[in-house]
């Protein structure tokens, strides 16, 4: 075992794929102290800048006074507190669904939902670029599992046509793709799901809180109701600035998950104070809607600036704005160069993305200012090798 592990670690190093953790000494925000040095942060998923919002902090402190710290037991034993229950009711209301069910993390929500709904003899179709948790869930479920080309409705329909008549069908996509930032064509996917009698599930980890006029995410952006998009997953640790995740849908779906989703059943309930912070954040979605507007303005500002500098931007209109580099080692060099300029952007490499698709995953948040984005653009201008500049600008 020791030799085998050493060999694998050495190989990772040689491939420029070795990952290291940085130590953060401050709260999330545009400026943080990392490994003892202040940097401007452009890789957090705290899209609305709520992770350190005083109202979230106060809600958590207040709930800890009332409910203590530990969840104590699983939801089905005696860990389901009134504040968890209120949060579920609010999430159902916000998403326009019958009910919502809290999970401790998004990874668990995906694993639990797909494996509860699907089994041997069933068919799962997933976008190739889906989040690792959805791909793992598909494999673990025991169902026949296929991946279609990214956002390719023709490829998907060809595959749907070929499915045998027996077994259930689940179509699963990321609503916003986590490493690319582009959005799934959900209305078209809903139509295909209906036509071929498949159940549609969307993972809105990067859209919930951010997309849609009121921040309800992809379902609001596209106006998709519970019949069109029956399984809606959202997370609370990104745009919402707290922690945890949920599935929203019909009474039948939620009751089935309570009975059959193992990562729901066999785990301790999240601390009630964490749920209280999420509730406070949902209040801010409406009372501080300027956060979404400011974020959208910053995204436009960044894209305009990047186009002027001929940076290799990918086609995204969300807070995730990746720059395609290709080579792992080069992505690491650029990331290190940016860090030397005081700007932290992480290099995303295989196996998170395909070989030859290494990139800088820039994320912009409502906590940033226009001046911060200008600092990022200047640093990119200085550090990015000219070979990576694109000559023709994408439309
Ligand atoms: C982050 C993420 C998850 C996992 O959510 P956690 O709450 O962090 O476990 C699931 N799906 C997507 C698309 C994500 O980006």
């Amino acid at each position: 075992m020791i030799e085998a592990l050493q060999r694998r670690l050495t190989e990772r190093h040689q491939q420029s794929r070795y990952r290291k953790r940085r130590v953060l000494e401050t709260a999330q925000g545009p400026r943080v102290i990392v490994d003892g040095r202040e940097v401007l942060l452009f890789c957090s998923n705290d899209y609305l800048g709520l992770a350190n919002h005083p109202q979230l902090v106060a809600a958590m402190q207040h709930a800890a006074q009332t409910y203590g710290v530990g969840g104590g037991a699983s939801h089905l034993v005696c860990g389901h507190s009134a504040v968890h229950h209120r949060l579920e009711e609010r999430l159902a209301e916000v998403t326009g669904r019958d009910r919502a069910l809290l999970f401790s993390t998004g990874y668990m929500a995906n694993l639990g939902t797909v494996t509860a709904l699907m089994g041997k003899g069933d068919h799962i179709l997933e976008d190739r670029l889906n989040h690792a948790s959805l791909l793992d869930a598909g494999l673990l479920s025991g169902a026949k599992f296929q991946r279609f080309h990214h956002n390719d409705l023709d490829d998907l329909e060809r595959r749907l046509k070929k499915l045998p008549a027996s077994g259930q069908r689940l179509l699963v996509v990321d609503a916003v793709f986590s490493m690319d930032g582009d959005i799934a064509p959900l209305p078209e996917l809903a139509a295909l799901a209906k036509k071929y009698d498949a159940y549609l599930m969307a993972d809105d980890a990067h859209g919930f809180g951010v997309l849609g006029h009121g921040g309800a995410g992809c379902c609001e952006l596209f106006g998709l109701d519970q019949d069109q998009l029956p399984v809606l997953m959202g997370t609370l640790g990104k745009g919402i600035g707290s922690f945890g995740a949920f599935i929203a849908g019909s009474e039948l779906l939620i009751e089935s998950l309570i009975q059959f989703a193992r990562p729901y059943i066999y785990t301790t309930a999240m601390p009630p104070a964490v749920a209280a912070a999420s509730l406070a954040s949902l209040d801010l979605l409406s009372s501080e809607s300027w956060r979404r507007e400011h974020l959208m303005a910053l995204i436009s500002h960044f894209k305009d600036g990047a186009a002027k500098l001929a940076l290799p931007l990918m086609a995204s209109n969300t807070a995730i704005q990746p720059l395609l580099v290709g080579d792992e080692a080069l992505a690491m060099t650029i990331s290190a160069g940016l860090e030397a300029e005081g700007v932290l952007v992480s290099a995303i490499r295989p196996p998170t993305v395909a070989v030859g698709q290494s990139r800088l995953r820039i994320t912009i948040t409502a906590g940033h200012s226009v001046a911060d984005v200008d600092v990022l653009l200047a640093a990119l201008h200085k550090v990015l090798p000219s070979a990576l500049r694109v000559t023709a600008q994408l439309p």
Side-chain angles (χ1 to χ4, degrees):
M1 179 62 88
I2 290 168
E3 275 171 30
L5 289 177
Q6 265 162 358
R7 204 170 336 109
R8 287 171 64 194
L9 290 182
T10 306
E11 190 183 56
R12 273 244 153 160
H13 259 303
Q14 287 166 347
Q15 293 172 317
S16 299
R17 292 181 192 173
Y18 206 84
R19 294 143 188 251
K20 286 203 178 102
R21 301 166 312 163
R22 298 164 197 280
V23 179
L24 211 73
E25 285 151 42
T26 48
Q28 289 287 312
R31 269 169 207 78
V32 293
I33 296 179
V34 169
D35 294 336
R37 177 159 170 259
E38 185 177 298
V39 291
L40 193 54
L41 191 66
F42 280 101
C43 49
S44 171
N45 298 322
D46 178 26
Y47 300 123
L48 296 175
L50 293 174
N52 190 31
H53 192 288
Q55 272 171 247
L56 269 71
V57 175
M60 195 163 177
Q61 285 171 331
H62 184 254
Q65 297 285 353
T66 309
Y67 293 97
V69 173
S74 68
H75 284 273
L76 291 179
V77 175
C78 57
H80 188 63
S81 75
V83 64
H84 292 127
H85 203 74
R86 262 208 312 284
L87 176 57
E88 289 183 343
E89 287 170 350
R90 270 299 293 286
L91 289 166
E93 205 180 296
V94 169
T95 56
R97 264 62 185 161
D98 289 352
R99 280 181 72 182
L101 186 70
L102 271 182
F103 283 78
S104 292
T105 70
Y107 194 107
M108 292 163 77
N110 283 340
L111 212 63
T113 303
V114 173
T115 57
L117 298 178
M118 304 300 280
K120 257 203 174 62
D122 295 334
H123 302 276
I124 301 177
L125 290 115
E126 296 201 23
D127 190 291
R128 296 175 56 103
L129 297 190
N130 274 1
H131 189 259
S133 56
L134 289 170
L135 302 174
D136 292 355
L139 292 172
L140 187 64
S141 72
K144 281 237 165 61
F145 172 43
Q146 23 176 331
R147 302 201 283 169
F148 58 92
H149 294 311
H150 177 52
N151 278 349
D152 185 338
L153 296 166
D154 295 333
D155 183 44
L156 172 62
E157 185 159 17
R158 267 194 301 278
R159 290 167 186 273
L160 283 165
K161 271 194 184 129
K162 282 195 208 144
L163 288 182
S166 65
Q168 308 298 323
R169 298 161 172 199
L170 185 69
L171 170 57
V172 191
V173 295
D174 279 18
V176 177
F177 288 88
S178 50
M179 296 302 138
D180 294 64
D182 55 345
I183 296 179
L186 285 170
E188 291 80 4
L189 290 166
L192 277 179
K194 187 162 187 222
K195 183 170 170 192
Y196 292 94
D197 196 25
Y199 221 42
L200 178 62
M201 170 172 179
D203 171 340
D204 206 15
H206 301 279
F208 188 66
V210 181
L211 297 179
H213 184 69
C218 67
C219 59
E220 186 183 16
L221 179 71
F222 290 115
L224 294 172
D225 64 23
Q226 183 175 298
D227 290 327
Q228 296 161 301
L229 175 52
V231 191
L232 174 65
M233 178 275 202
T235 62
L236 304 168
K238 290 171 180 161
I240 300 300
S242 172
F243 187 75
F246 66 91
I247 297 284
S250 68
E251 183 72 31
L252 178 73
L253 173 73
I254 299 304
E255 276 305 314
S256 303
L257 295 180
I258 293 173
Q259 304 306 318
F260 305 125
R262 294 165 66 88
Y264 179 76
I265 300 166
Y266 298 106
T267 201
T268 302
M270 71 168 70
V274 172
S278 300
L279 268 170
S281 180
L282 293 180
D283 289 339
L284 292 171
L285 282 190
S286 45
S287 66
E288 296 193 3
S289 59
W290 63 264
R291 289 177 182 274
R292 276 188 300 285
E293 289 147 27
H294 178 56
L295 175 60
M296 294 309 151
L298 290 180
I299 294 167
S300 298
H301 183 72
F302 174 73
K303 288 185 60 154
D304 289 348
K308 283 194 191 109
L309 297 175
L311 304 182
L313 268 188
M314 294 176 68
S316 161
N317 292 315
T318 66
I320 302 166
Q321 289 289 324
L323 292 186
L324 193 59
V325 172
D327 179 68
E328 290 99 311
L330 182 57
M332 292 296 284
T333 305
I334 297 170
S335 176
L338 290 172
E339 194 170 347
E341 296 295 312
V343 174
L344 199 64
V345 174
S346 56
I348 304 288
R349 295 157 285 160
T352 304
V353 292
V355 174
Q357 295 272 305
S358 290
R359 64 197 64 179
L360 298 169
R361 182 178 181 271
I362 294 166
T363 52
I364 299 168
T365 77
H368 290 116
S369 63
V370 170
D372 292 335
V373 172
D374 288 338
V375 170
L376 168 67
L377 286 165
L380 286 167
H381 184 51
K382 184 164 173 194
V383 170
L384 216 75
S386 55
L388 281 179
R389 307 297 169 122
V390 285
T391 39
Q393 288 178 15
L394 298 170

